[in-house]
Amino acid sequence: MSCNTKGSVLFSGFRALGLYCNHLPHVVRYHKRHRKFYLVTAVGKSFHTYNVNKLGIVAVSNALPEDISCLVADRMLVFASHGNLVKAFARSKEVVHTYKGHNAEVHLVQPFGDHMISIDKDNVLLVWDVQSEEEYLQLNFDKTVFTISAVMHPSTYLNKILLGSQQGVLQLWNVKSNKLLYTFPGWGSGVTVLEQAPAVDVVAVGLVSGQIVLHNIKYNETLMKFQQDWGPITAISFRTDGHPMMAAGSPVGHVGLWDLEEKKLIAQMRDCHSTAVAGMTFVHGEPLLITNGADNAIRIWIFDVPGGAGRLFKCRVGHSAPPTKIRYHGQNAHQILSAGQDGTLQSFSTVHESFNKSLGHGSINKKKSKKKGLRFDTMKLPPITTFASETARQSDWDGIIACHRGFLIATTWNYQKTSMGAHKLEPERFNKNRALNVHATAVDVTSCGNFAVVGLSSGHVDVYNLQSGIHRGCYGSEKAHDGPIRGVAVDGLNQLTVTAAGDNLIKFWKFKSKELLHTTKLESAPSTILLHRDSGMLAVASDDFIISILDIETRKIVRKFSGHQRQITDMAFSPDGRWLITASMDCSIRTWDLPSGCLIDCFLLNSAAVSITMSPTGDSLASSHVDDLGIYLWSNNTLYSLVSLRPLPTDYEPTIQMLPGTCPEQDVNDVEVQEEISEEMIEYDSPEQLGEQLVTLSLLPESRWKNLINLDIIKQRNKPKEPPKVPKSAPFFIPTVAGLVPQFAVPEKQGTEDQSKVMALGMLTQKSKFCRQLQDDLSIDNYKASIQLLKEMGPSRIDTELRELAPELGGSLEVMQAFLRMIASMQSTKRDFELAQAYLALFLKLHLKAIATEPRLLTETTKVSEQLEETWLHMQTLFNQSMCLLGYMKSAVL
C-alpha cells in the first residue's frame, strides 16, 4: 500500500533498529577513492551499506515496492531485483536504471562489464546493456533438461559465462556470439554455488550432495574434491592473503575450512549462524572472513590464531525471531531492551550500533550449556514473555527480571555484565514440582532496584530481594487472587503494590506489610496493566478491549477509553503522564489524552504492533510488530513543530502508515497537500473576545500601560544631571518623528516668497488627531477608532494627549466628556479591561479639579463609577469562589 498523506499527526517514522541482513548473500565492494571495503546486505525492500572496518552503517537505499529477491554489485552500481524487474542503484541510494522484460520472478543476477545478466524462474536468461537499459540477448532453456541454479563469469574469459543447473550439468556460453562452447557433464548432483578460485581457469563447484569440486574448465579436469556432511553447499570463498585456504558454508550454520595444498579439512567453525550460511566472502588480501545468514546476523572472523580456525572479530546481531517485548532502559533514552522469540535478551542503542549489547540466551545451568553447545543445549530456557528493569542499583547487582513462556522460574539478568544474572527466583511452596503447570506471568522491579515482584498463573504474588535472591513474602493469606495474575505494579515510593488477575479484580496492597487495602471489581478480566509512577495513574486493558484509568490514591476509575476492535497488546505512557498510547491486534496505534479524555491520534499499520514503549525523554516511540525482526522508532512531532491536538471525531477513519525505512518517496504534490493540511490544523484565529460576559484583557505589554499614573515621577527620576554635550564631530542624522514606529521627518518644500513671518494665533490652539477623532466618535457613539489610536501610542504620548484634553491646552469640555464615554463603552463591552483602568486613572489624576466643578463631567464620571463597581463586584465573586474551591482541594482528605 502507498503512504497516505494523513497518517499520524503526533508520530512520524524515523528509523529501524536491529535489522542487518536476511537470507540473501551479501556483496563486498571496494571503493578505489576511499580505499575501503564496503559490505552490502539486503533487508526487506531496501539494502544497507556498511564499512568493513567498523561495521558502521554508511547508507540505506530507497525502498523498492517489494522485497529484494537478488542482490549483486559491480564497481559502480548495485543491482537489486524484485518481482520481474531489475533495478540499478547509484551511490547506494537512488535508482538510476530499471530493466523490464522478464515475465517471471528474477532470482539470479550477474554483472558482466558493460552488460548485466538476469535469469528468471521461467529459465529465461537476458543480457542487458547497463547504460541504455536495452535487451542485448535472450536465451531460453528447457526446465526439464537444464534448470539454471548458478551463474558466474570466469576470470579472464572474455564474453563468457558459466551456468550451473539443478540437474548437475554445467554449460559455458559466449554471450557475444550466442554460442554454447562446452557442456560439462557434472558429478551427479545439482549445482548450488559457482565460485572463481584465485588460480586462473579453476572454478569451485558446490553441489547439493555436500561435495565441493575444484575443476579446471580449460582442460575439463577435476583437480580435487572435498565432502561436507552438513548438507548442500550454500557458499564458497577463497582466502587471498597468501594462505591456500577455502571456506564452505552449510545449511546448519557451520563453516568448514579446507587446506588446498594438503587437500584436507583443517578446522571447523561450528554454529557461526543459527540458520544457513547465506553468504561468505574473504576480504581481498586480508585474513578476514565475512559471513551472513537468515538469522539477521553479520559476523567478521579474523584468522590470527594457531590452528587455522577464525575467531569472532566484529558482529552486528539482531533477533533471529520477532521480538515479543521491548522497553526503554534508563532515563537517557539511549538503550532499548528487547526480548525475542529466539530466546535472547538484547539491548539496541538508539545512538550507534556499536553500543548494542546481547545479554544472551537464558539457561538453567550456564556451565553445562557451554559444554554442550548452543544447538544441543537441553538446559536453555524458553523465550521471555515479559520483563522489567531498573537502573538504580544495576552496577551493584542484577537489575532486570524476566519470566519465560510456560516456566515457573523467574530469571535475573545483569545489564553491566551483559549476561544472565546470579539468581533464579522460584517459590518454595511447589517443591520444584514441574508437573503442576504453574508458570510466572507478570513481573515488576521497585524504583529503588532492591525488590522484585513476581505474579504466577496460580494467583500467587511473591516478593524477592534482588541482591540476595531471598524470598521476602507473598500477598494474601493463601494467594492473592483466585485467577492467573495478569499484571503487577509497585508505586514509586514502595508504599503500594497493585495486582490484577483473571478473576476481574484489581487489588491494592501495602508493599511492606502485605496488607490488603482495597479491591476494585472490573466488568471484564484485565489482560495487562501499566502504572505511571510519577502521576499515580494505572492503565488497565481488559479482555473486552476497553482501557480503564485508575487513580491509585483514590482507587477510583477516572477515565474509560473504548475504540479498539481486537486484543490490546501493549500500552505506554508519555513521560508527563498526559498521553496513553495503546497498540492492538487490529493493527492500530491510538493516543489518548488523559486530561480531556479524548482520542487525539490514531493510525494503522500493515502488521499489528505486539509491543510499544515511549522514551523517558518523550522524543520517540518504539514499536515491534508481528513477524518482523526490527524495532521501529517514531519521532514525536510535538517536540519539533506545532501540532494541533484536537479530539478526533467518532466517525474518524484511520489511515495506513508505512513502517520507518519502508515508505517510498512522496510525490512533491503530496508533500504540498500535507503541508497545507497541517497548516490548516495549526493556524487558529482566536477572536478578540471569547464571550460577551467575559472580562477580556488586551494583548499590549505591561510597559505600555502599567506606569502611566507614575510617569511624571519616572521622568523626574530619569532627568539628566548635566545637559548633553555636543560631540566634536557629530555625524549626520536624518531627523525622525517621535513615536513607537520610527519615521523620517521629510520637510515639505515651501517657496520663500509665500512664507509669512507672522505666526497665526490658530496654530497655538490646534487640536491633536486624537482630539479630533474623539469628537468624530462622539457624534456616531462608536469609540473603536479612538481606542485603536491610544493603543498605538507610547506612555509619554498618551500622557501628552490626555493633558491636551483640558480647555486651557486646546481641548474642550465636550472632548473630555467624549473621553469618559469612551471609557464607559470599554467597561460595557468588557474589552481591554486593564487599559481602561490605566487610562481612567491618569485622566482622573490630571483633570480631577475640572471634573468636580463641571456638572456634565461629574454626571459622566458617576456613570463610569457605577459600571466599574459592578464589574469589580462580579470579578471579586468569581475570585472568592475559586479561592474557596482551591482551599478545599488543598485541605480536604480524599
Side-chain angles (χ1 to χ4, degrees):
M1 293 186 182
S2 61
C3 288
N4 197 297
T5 55
K6 293 181 182 178
S8 172
V9 177
L10 295 181
F11 301 105
S12 58
F14 175 46
R15 59 175 294 207
L17 301 177
L19 291 175
Y20 300 108
C21 63
N22 59 11
H23 63 283
L24 298 180
H26 64 260
V27 181
V28 176
R29 307 174 68 196
Y30 180 73
H31 199 290
K32 285 187 176 180
R33 191 175 65 182
H34 296 171
R35 295 184 179 181
K36 291 180 180 179
F37 287 98
Y38 290 96
L39 173 69
V40 183
T41 61
V43 179
K45 300 176 183 178
S46 60
F47 61 84
H48 296 179
T49 304
Y50 301 87
N51 54 38
V52 174
N53 290 340
K54 298 181 180 179
L55 264 188
I57 191 164
V58 175
V60 178
S61 72
N62 294 334
L64 296 174
E66 301 173 310
D67 287 348
I68 297 174
S69 57
C70 185
L71 184 72
V72 294
D74 62 5
R75 185 174 58 89
M76 297 297 294
L77 301 173
V78 176
F79 298 94
S81 66
H82 67 91
N84 54 4
L85 298 177
V86 181
K87 294 185 177 179
F89 288 79
R91 293 175 291 277
S92 299
K93 192 167 182 66
E94 64 264 13
V95 177
V96 292
H97 298 294
T98 302
Y99 307 95
K100 302 178 181 178
H102 286 282
N103 296 320
E105 182 182 352
V106 178
H107 70 107
L108 289 174
V109 181
Q110 174 67 42
F112 193 57
D114 294 334
H115 296 78
M116 181 267 297
I117 300 169
S118 60
I119 303 165
D120 62 26
K121 291 189 176 180
D122 284 346
N123 232 23
V124 177
L125 183 148
L126 295 179
V127 181
W128 306 86
D129 185 281
V130 172
Q131 295 300 324
S132 66
E133 302 179 9
E134 295 179 356
E135 183 181 319
Y136 177 79
L137 177 67
Q138 177 173 333
L139 296 175
N140 296 316
F141 295 87
D142 186 358
K143 280 188 176 183
T144 58
V145 179
F146 192 86
T147 304
I148 302 175
S149 59
V151 59
M152 69 160 288
H153 166 57
S155 181
T156 72
Y157 279 58
L158 190 64
N159 301 326
K160 298 173 182 65
I161 59 170
L162 183 65
L163 302 176
S165 67
Q166 294 180 4
Q167 290 78 12
V169 179
L170 278 72
Q171 293 183 0
L172 184 66
W173 283 79
N174 187 319
V175 295
K176 186 175 183 180
S177 61
N178 191 13
K179 289 183 179 180
L180 175 62
L181 301 180
Y182 196 81
T183 301
F184 301 92
W187 295 269
S189 181
V191 177
T192 57
V193 183
L194 292 175
E195 182 68 25
Q196 174 70 50
V200 181
D201 304 325
V202 180
V203 174
V205 183
L207 304 178
V208 175
S209 62
Q211 198 174 39
I212 306 166
V213 179
L214 294 184
H215 194 75
N216 189 310
I217 59 174
K218 183 176 182 179
Y219 299 106
N220 193 17
E221 293 181 359
T222 298
L223 304 180
M224 58 189 77
K225 293 182 180 180
F226 304 103
Q227 179 67 43
Q228 283 190 178
D229 299 331
W230 301 320
I233 304 300
T234 59
I236 298 175
S237 184
F238 292 90
R239 192 168 168 182
T240 57
D241 62 335
H243 294 76
M245 180 187 293
M246 179 185 69
S250 66
V252 294
H254 303 330
V255 174
L257 301 173
W258 305 85
D259 191 311
L260 300 180
E261 285 187 349
E262 299 183 5
K263 300 180 181 181
K264 68 176 183 179
L265 181 71
I266 56 173
Q268 295 180 10
M269 296 167 57
R270 290 182 173 267
D271 299 319
C272 291
H273 294 272
S274 59
T275 59
V277 179
M280 187 164 48
T281 307
F282 274 104
V283 179
H284 184 74
E286 297 183 22
L288 298 176
L289 175 66
I290 304 173
T291 63
N292 79 290
D295 58 351
N296 193 24
I298 304 170
R299 292 183 171 92
I300 299 181
W301 311 84
I302 185 168
F303 294 82
D304 58 352
V305 293
R311 64 177 178 87
L312 186 62
F313 182 50
K314 284 185 175 66
C315 67
R316 291 286 179 265
V317 181
H319 284 293
S320 59
T324 56
K325 185 88 169 182
I326 58 173
R327 285 292 181 267
Y328 272 95
H329 183 68
Q331 296 301 315
N332 56 7
H334 290 171
Q335 298 289 338
I336 298 178
L337 285 175
S338 172
Q341 294 180 11
D342 54 0
T344 61
L345 182 64
Q346 300 196 32
S347 172
F348 295 99
S349 172
T350 59
V351 179
H352 195 274
E353 285 137 349
S354 60
F355 300 120
N356 290 358
K357 296 180 180 182
S358 177
L359 279 71
H361 199 297
S363 176
I364 299 175
N365 191 314
K366 288 195 291 185
K367 291 184 179 179
K368 290 184 179 180
S369 297
K370 286 183 179 179
K371 290 181 180 179
K372 291 185 177 182
L374 181 64
R375 191 169 299 277
F376 304 101
D377 185 12
T378 57
M379 308 294 288
K380 65 181 180 181
L381 292 169
I384 295 172
T385 56
T386 184
F387 64 87
S389 67
E390 189 58 54
T391 58
R393 304 301 294 269
Q394 70 173 6
S395 58
D396 301 322
W397 52 75
D398 303 338
I400 304 171
I401 181 170
C403 52
H404 301 259
R405 183 183 302 160
F407 210 71
L408 175 62
I409 296 175
T411 56
T412 60
W413 299 73
N414 195 301
Y415 185 82
Q416 297 284 353
K417 298 178 180 178
T418 63
S419 66
M420 192 173 170
H423 307 300
K424 295 175 180 62
L425 310 179
E426 181 180 10
E428 298 179 356
R429 68 175 68 90
F430 300 110
N431 296 321
K432 297 186 178 181
N433 186 355
R434 300 288 186 267
L436 293 176
N437 196 23
V438 177
H439 57 274
T441 56
V443 290
D444 195 20
V445 179
T446 58
S447 58
C448 62
N450 291 320
F451 299 98
V453 182
V454 182
L456 306 178
S457 60
S458 60
H460 295 89
V461 179
D462 299 286
V463 181
Y464 297 88
N465 184 287
L466 278 176
Q467 182 181 8
S468 61
I470 298 174
H471 186 265
R472 292 299 187 190
C474 59
Y475 293 94
S477 56
E478 293 184 3
K479 53 184 180 179
H481 290 268
D482 293 330
I485 303 298
R486 301 287 178 83
V488 294
V490 184
D491 71 342
L493 299 176
N494 291 6
Q495 299 296 315
L496 285 176
T497 301
V498 186
T499 60
D503 56 2
N504 297 18
L505 297 179
I506 303 287
K507 293 187 177 182
F508 298 85
W509 313 78
K510 280 190 176 180
F511 176 78
K512 189 173 182 180
S513 64
K514 315 295 188 296
E515 176 189 348
L516 179 63
L517 297 176
H518 184 75
T519 301
T520 300
K521 178 77 172 178
L522 299 177
E523 297 177 0
S524 180
S527 58
T528 182
I529 66 171
L530 179 68
L531 176 64
H532 188 261
R533 285 175 172 167
D534 293 340
S535 65
M537 292 293 132
L538 178 73
V540 181
S542 304
D543 289 341
D544 58 359
F545 319 139
I546 292 178
I547 304 153
S548 303
I549 308 296
L550 283 82
D551 188 342
I552 63 172
E553 294 296 329
T554 62
R555 283 84 157 172
K556 293 180 180 179
I557 297 177
V558 294
R559 291 286 186 274
K560 271 193 176 183
F561 302 122
S562 61
H564 285 293
Q565 306 298 321
R566 296 288 186 274
Q567 178 190 357
I568 298 168
T569 55
D570 204 359
M571 301 181 290
F573 276 105
S574 61
D576 57 3
R578 290 184 61 90
W579 296 348
L580 176 66
I581 306 155
T582 57
S584 169
M585 291 304 292
D586 60 8
C587 297
S588 70
I589 293 180
R590 296 172 182 257
T591 304
W592 313 87
D593 186 65
L594 266 62
S596 64
C598 297
L599 175 68
I600 58 175
D601 188 55
C602 178
F603 62 97
L604 296 177
L605 298 165
N606 286 325
S607 60
V610 296
S611 185
I612 57 174
T613 178
M614 191 77 176
S615 67
T617 55
D619 58 352
S620 60
L621 173 75
S623 64
S624 62
H625 300 265
V626 174
D627 296 332
D628 201 312
L629 302 180
I631 297 173
Y632 297 92
L633 297 182
W634 308 81
S635 296
N636 183 359
N637 295 334
T638 59
L639 297 182
Y640 313 108
S641 61
L642 294 175
V643 177
S644 175
L645 299 180
R646 296 180 181 176
L648 298 182
T650 53
D651 58 347
Y652 179 78
E653 294 184 3
T655 54
I656 292 180
Q657 187 155 331
M658 305 299 289
L659 292 174
T662 61
C663 184
E665 289 186 344
Q666 292 181 334
D667 188 66
V668 176
N669 296 329
D670 294 342
V671 176
E672 291 177 356
V673 171
Q674 188 173 0
E675 290 178 354
E676 289 175 5
I677 293 173
S678 61
E679 286 177 2
E680 288 177 5
M681 294 183 64
I682 293 170
E683 290 183 0
Y684 173 70
D685 295 330
S686 177
E688 292 184 6
Q689 193 173 23
L690 297 178
E692 294 181 357
Q693 74 282 4
L694 298 178
V695 172
T696 307
L697 304 180
S698 69
L699 298 179
L700 295 181
E702 290 185 354
S703 59
R704 302 276 290 275
W705 55 268
K706 191 173 183 180
N707 297 315
L708 276 175
I709 196 169
N710 299 319
L711 195 61
D712 52 350
I713 302 174
I714 296 173
K715 286 183 177 180
Q716 186 65 28
R717 185 184 62 194
N718 297 338
K719 188 176 181 181
K721 297 179 181 179
E722 297 179 2
K725 296 180 180 179
V726 180
K728 294 180 180 179
S729 57
F732 171 74
F733 290 104
I734 299 177
T736 57
V737 178
L740 294 178
V741 180
Q743 293 180 350
F744 293 116
V746 181
E748 296 182 0
K749 293 182 180 180
Q750 297 180 355
T752 56
E753 302 174 347
D754 301 335
Q755 188 174 359
S756 172
K757 297 182 179 180
V758 179
M759 183 177 292
L761 188 62
M763 294 180 64
L764 296 175
T765 60
Q766 187 177 6
K767 293 182 181 180
S768 67
K769 184 179 179 181
F770 176 65
C771 285
R772 295 195 302 270
Q773 187 64 51
L774 269 179
Q775 287 179 336
D776 296 340
D777 291 348
L778 180 62
S779 60
I780 60 176
D781 197 22
N782 188 344
Y783 300 93
K784 287 185 178 179
S786 300
I787 297 172
Q788 188 61 34
L789 270 178
L790 282 179
K791 285 184 178 180
E792 295 174 358
M793 298 178 186
S796 297
R797 181 73 180 274
I798 294 173
D799 182 79
T800 305
E801 291 287 353
L802 293 192
R803 289 180 186 274
E804 291 179 353
L805 295 180
E808 58 270 15
L809 293 177
S812 64
L813 295 177
E814 183 185 9
V815 175
M816 296 177 68
Q817 185 180 5
F819 182 84
L820 288 173
R821 290 186 179 180
M822 183 192 76
I823 298 296
S825 70
M826 295 174 72
Q827 292 288 341
S828 61
T829 57
K830 298 183 178 179
R831 294 185 181 181
D832 303 323
F833 185 76
E834 81 280 20
L835 294 184
Q837 308 298 314
Y839 297 159
L840 180 60
L842 180 59
F843 181 81
L844 294 177
K845 178 182 177 181
L846 297 176
H847 307 294
L848 189 59
K849 292 182 180 179
I851 294 172
T853 57
E854 292 294 334
R856 284 193 299 172
L857 298 181
L858 195 59
T859 304
E860 293 293 338
T861 309
T862 305
K863 294 180 181 178
V864 172
S865 177
E866 291 174 355
Q867 284 184 341
L868 193 60
E869 186 177 355
E870 182 183 351
T871 304
W872 274 113
L873 184 63
H874 175 66
M875 293 184 65
Q876 191 65 41
T877 304
L878 295 178
F879 288 150
N880 291 338
Q881 290 177 356
S882 301
M883 294 297 292
C884 180
L885 181 60
L886 182 61
Y888 171 74
M889 294 296 293
K890 290 173 66 176
S891 60
V893 179
L894 300 177

mmCIF file of all heavy atoms in Angstrom, residues 2 606 813:
data_model
loop_
_atom_site.group_PDB
_atom_site.id
_atom_site.type_symbol
_atom_site.label_atom_id
_atom_site.label_comp_id
_atom_site.label_asym_id
_atom_site.label_seq_id
_atom_site.Cartn_x
_atom_site.Cartn_y
_atom_site.Cartn_z
ATOM 1 N N SER A 2 0.404 2.252 -0.568
ATOM 2 C CA SER A 2 1.144 3.502 -0.624
ATOM 3 C C SER A 2 0.912 4.321 0.615
ATOM 4 O O SER A 2 -0.049 4.153 1.336
ATOM 5 C CB SER A 2 0.725 4.299 -1.861
ATOM 6 O OG SER A 2 -0.635 4.605 -1.780
ATOM 7 N N ASN A 606 0.569 -2.001 8.597
ATOM 8 C CA ASN A 606 0.332 -3.227 7.832
ATOM 9 C C ASN A 606 0.410 -4.470 8.705
ATOM 10 O O ASN A 606 -0.191 -5.495 8.386
ATOM 11 C CB ASN A 606 1.342 -3.335 6.686
ATOM 12 C CG ASN A 606 1.024 -2.374 5.559
ATOM 13 O OD1 ASN A 606 -0.144 -2.122 5.273
ATOM 14 N ND2 ASN A 606 2.038 -1.814 4.931
ATOM 15 N N LEU A 813 -14.552 70.917 27.014
ATOM 16 C CA LEU A 813 -15.353 70.054 27.892
ATOM 17 C C LEU A 813 -16.048 68.957 27.095
ATOM 18 O O LEU A 813 -16.256 67.845 27.597
ATOM 19 C CB LEU A 813 -16.389 70.896 28.652
ATOM 20 C CG LEU A 813 -15.829 71.925 29.643
ATOM 21 C CD1 LEU A 813 -16.979 72.733 30.264
ATOM 22 C CD2 LEU A 813 -15.035 71.240 30.732
#
